[in-house]
Amino acid sequence: METYQEFLNRINSFEHDLDLGREDFTPNPAVLAKVSETNRFLPFYGDTAVFSLSDEECRQFLDYTHLMYHEAGECFAERLYAGTFHMTLHDLSNSPEKSAVRNQMKCNEEKIRQIAFPGMQISMKFNAVFNLNHTALCAGLYPADEGEYHKLMQLYELVNQVQKLSYPLTPHITLAYYNRNGFSAESGKKLNQVVSQLNQNPHDVLLDTGRLFYQHFTSMREYQNIFCLEK
C-alpha cells in the first residue's frame, strides 16, 4: 500500500495539469463502449462499491456541471443525474455484455456480503477538477490527513479481498463523460477556462459508511443500490 505522501504525490502529478486546447481532443477508446454515436449512454453492466453523496454535496457538484454544459457542452456526452454522483471505493466488474459479467457479479455479491464493514466517517478534501484518462472530467478528492487516509484504505482493502485490482485508488467524482466524437481545440480552450473557475470554488466531501453501497449498474447513468456495506 502507498504511504499517504506517496498517494498525494501520485494524484498531484496529474490532477493539476489540465492543458486542453493545443489540438483537437480525441477521447479514450473506452468511451466508445459506454457512449453511443448520438452521445447517449449505452448499456454497460457490472457491479461496484461506492459512497453516495449527501443531497447538499450532490447539489454542489450539480452546480459544477451546469457551468460545464452551459459554457462548453459540446465537449460532453449526455448529462449524468445528480443522484448518480458518487465516489467509487472499489471497482469490481464491468462489460458491455451482461452475460460476460453475470456469474462474476453473483460471486462478488456473495463474497462481499460476508465482510463486516465498520462504521466510520472520512473527511475528504477537494483537490482539482481533472481529466481522467481522456474518459471523463472528474472532481479529484483526497483524505484530509494521514489518519483519514488509513481509514479509507482499510475499507478499500476489505473490498480488495473480493476482487484485486492492478491499479491504485484515485478518489474522484465523475462529473461528465466526454463527447464520443471528441471536440475542437477551441472548445478545449473554453473547457480550460471553465475548469479554472470550478477550481476556485472547491467543495469538500464527508464520506459515511452509512452511504457505502454495493451497487449494480446497467449504464454509466443507471445505478442500483443492492445493500449498504456498513454492518
Side-chain angles (χ1 to χ4, degrees), residues 6-8 29 46 83 90 113 125 132-134 140 167 192 217:
E6 289 169 342
F7 164 83
L8 292 177
H90 198 291
R113 282 188 183 277
K125 305 292 287 184
L132 180 64
N133 297 328
H134 276 45
Y167 49 89
N192 278 339
F217 53 85

Side-chain angles (χ1 to χ4, degrees), residues 126-142:
F126 175 89
N127 194 25
V129 173
F130 72 104
N131 170 24
L132 180 64
N133 297 328
H134 276 45
T135 298
L137 198 66
C138 301
L141 303 172
Y142 65 95

Side-chain angles (χ1 to χ4, degrees), residues 77-93:
E78 67 173 312
R79 293 187 190 221
L80 297 170
Y81 296 119
T84 66
F85 292 152
H86 62 264
M87 197 207 86
T88 300
L89 174 65
H90 198 291
D91 296 316
L92 290 169
S93 66

Side-chain angles (χ1 to χ4, degrees), residues 56-179:
E56 177 60 25
E57 289 164 346
C58 285
R59 284 192 291 270
Q60 291 170 341
F61 289 109
L62 187 62
D63 288 344
Y64 278 24
T65 61
H66 283 333
L67 181 64
M68 290 159 47
Y69 278 83
H70 182 266
E71 298 294 333
E74 70 275 15
C75 296
F76 305 110
E78 67 173 312
R79 293 187 190 221
L80 297 170
Y81 296 119
T84 66
F85 292 152
H86 62 264
M87 197 207 86
T88 300
L89 174 65
H90 198 291
D91 296 316
L92 290 169
S93 66
N94 63 80
S95 173
E97 302 296 330
K98 190 173 184 178
S99 59
V101 291
R102 183 182 292 113
N103 290 339
Q104 185 62 61
M105 290 171 63
K106 182 178 179 180
C107 181
N108 291 341
E109 183 171 341
E110 290 174 352
K111 288 181 179 180
I112 205 166
R113 282 188 183 277
Q114 298 173 21
I115 300 173
F117 287 82
M120 64 177 71
Q121 293 182 328
I122 304 171
S123 296
M124 303 291 288
K125 305 292 287 184
F126 175 89
N127 194 25
V129 173
F130 72 104
N131 170 24
L132 180 64
N133 297 328
H134 276 45
T135 298
L137 198 66
C138 301
L141 303 172
Y142 65 95
D145 57 35
E146 188 169 3
E148 300 300 278
Y149 173 71
H150 284 294
K151 288 195 290 185
L152 180 64
M153 295 311 297
Q154 177 187 356
L155 297 175
Y156 177 87
E157 290 299 335
L158 288 174
V159 188
N160 207 42
Q161 299 173 29
V162 176
Q163 190 76 254
K164 287 192 179 296
L165 297 178
S166 59
Y167 49 89
L169 175 64
T170 299
H172 65 273
I173 297 164
T174 300
L175 301 173
Y177 284 86
Y178 290 124
N179 186 317

